[in-house]
Amino acid sequence: LTLALPFLSTSLVVPAATASMSQSSPDPNVEVEVLTNMAHLTMDVCTFFVQDTCVCRVLEVFGRVLAMSADYAPDHAILGDEFAFQMIMLGIATKGLVSSLLPKVAAIFAVTSQKDIRAYLSLFRKTGLTWMQYRTLKALAFEWVDVQPGQIITSDEMSSVDQNIYCLYSGEVNVESEGKHLHTINQECMAPRLNDVHSMTLFGEVAFVRRLYNSYQGVSSSSYAKTTTKVGPKGATLLRIDTSKLTMLMDNDANLAQSIHCLLMNGIQNKL
């Protein structure tokens, strides 16, 4: 009997330990359901409440990873076609995230001057554009240029002239239409304080708005008053906005696009 007791005790303990381990192991179906719900939450629900494009794309990448985890959890394997689909969707989401992050990284290293501060305070801040967004534009789409007297800045009448937007910082610009002088715009930005500067004037924004409208509507229309802006005898300093790069940045930042739309509408309204 003494020799049988250890054997009996061992035979009783091992089944009990096995039963407790089977009860404590997680149910794979519950794990799959939790991962699936979290994936839907991050990709579907959060995108309706988050305004920042970059944050939305972070959530989308995270949701794709959760969706792949939900497929892998039950049997620790993923079917080939499902894996290919999830990797393609993850790649698309990652590409969008990188497109949103790179401009923010460029903004950190952007070099700004006193002219940039004056331009931001007088023209861009009232449209809702943040200083960091301005730095992003400065790094990728903005350039200060000094234009000689008599040089054409923008022209809706000449297809060879560039299609960028210009902001008059200082100097003199003449506006013409069909060879007739319409009016002259003078701008001085020599105020002692940065916030004393007057609002800068936009040129070329009408044609840019028309191109945006045509691209959205899928039509081609040019029925609007066409003008040519030419630098006066005093010369001019302008902020040049590369519209192709601006469009790319607007596609990857909804808040930036809203501020630029407000800027364009303000420019058109000031001409009415």
Side-chain angles (χ1 to χ4, degrees):
L1 181 61
T2 304
L3 296 174
L5 284 176
F7 173 76
L8 292 175
S9 62
T10 304
S11 62
L12 291 174
V13 169
V14 172
T18 304
S20 62
M21 290 178 61
S22 62
Q23 292 177 359
S24 61
S25 61
D27 186 356
N29 294 327
V30 175
E31 186 177 359
V32 170
E33 185 176 355
V34 170
L35 291 172
T36 303
N37 290 336
M38 290 180 63
H40 285 298
L41 181 66
T42 54
M43 289 191 296
D44 300 334
V45 178
C46 293
T47 53
F48 291 102
F49 300 99
V50 180
Q51 299 295 325
D52 192 290
T53 304
C54 187
V55 175
C56 287
R57 291 178 174 176
V58 170
L59 293 174
E60 186 176 357
V61 171
F62 184 59
R64 288 298 169 189
V65 173
L66 291 175
M68 295 180 67
S69 301
D71 290 335
Y72 179 79
D75 51 3
H76 299 286
I78 303 179
L79 296 176
D81 55 347
E82 182 66 22
F83 178 76
F85 172 77
Q86 292 293 351
M87 287 301 296
I88 292 174
M89 298 305 296
L90 179 62
I92 295 174
T94 304
K95 182 178 181 296
L97 177 60
V98 172
S99 299
S100 296
L101 287 177
L102 287 180
K104 296 182 182 297
V105 175
I108 299 175
F109 299 98
V111 178
T112 57
S113 63
Q114 191 176 73
K115 289 190 292 187
D116 291 302
I117 299 176
R118 290 180 183 271
Y120 174 72
L121 293 176
S122 67
L123 187 62
F124 294 95
R125 184 173 64 173
K126 59 187 177 184
T127 66
L129 196 77
T130 65
W131 177 242
M132 182 57 68
Q133 289 174 327
Y134 180 89
R135 288 175 63 91
T136 300
L137 293 169
K138 178 62 169 61
L140 301 174
F142 285 1
E143 182 183 5
W144 290 103
V145 292
D146 293 320
V147 186
Q148 299 300 318
Q151 185 173 339
I152 295 176
I153 305 172
T154 63
S155 178
D156 303 323
E157 304 172 303
M158 302 169 58
S159 58
S160 59
V161 179
D162 68 70
Q163 302 296 317
N164 295 322
I165 299 174
Y166 290 84
C167 308
L168 179 61
Y169 179 79
S170 64
E172 182 181 274
V173 170
N174 297 319
V175 181
E176 303 175 356
S177 179
E178 298 179 353
K180 298 179 180 179
H181 177 77
L182 298 181
H183 59 275
T184 300
I185 301 175
N186 289 284
Q187 180 76 44
E188 296 295 337
C189 289
M190 301 301 177
R193 293 187 301 176
L194 292 176
N195 57 357
D196 285 342
V197 66
H198 297 290
S199 181
M200 297 165 62
T201 305
L202 288 177
F203 302 100
E205 79 283 3
V206 176
F208 179 62
V209 171
R210 175 62 61 175
R211 293 197 301 273
L212 286 179
Y213 175 81
N214 292 342
S215 64
Y216 293 154
Q217 299 295 325
V219 297
S220 179
S221 175
S222 58
S223 58
Y224 63 98
K226 299 179 180 180
T227 58
T228 297
T229 56
K230 185 182 299 184
V231 178
K234 297 180 181 179
T237 299
L238 303 111
L239 178 62
R240 179 166 58 198
I241 303 175
D242 190 319
T243 54
S244 60
K245 295 179 180 178
L246 178 64
T247 304
M248 180 186 65
L249 292 172
M250 291 169 62
D251 291 338
N252 291 293
D253 191 336
N255 293 332
L256 175 64
Q258 184 176 1
S259 297
I260 295 300
H261 288 158
C262 182
L263 172 69
L264 297 173
M265 292 302 104
N266 288 344
I268 295 175
Q269 185 178 4
N270 292 335
K271 289 180 170 63
L272 298 178

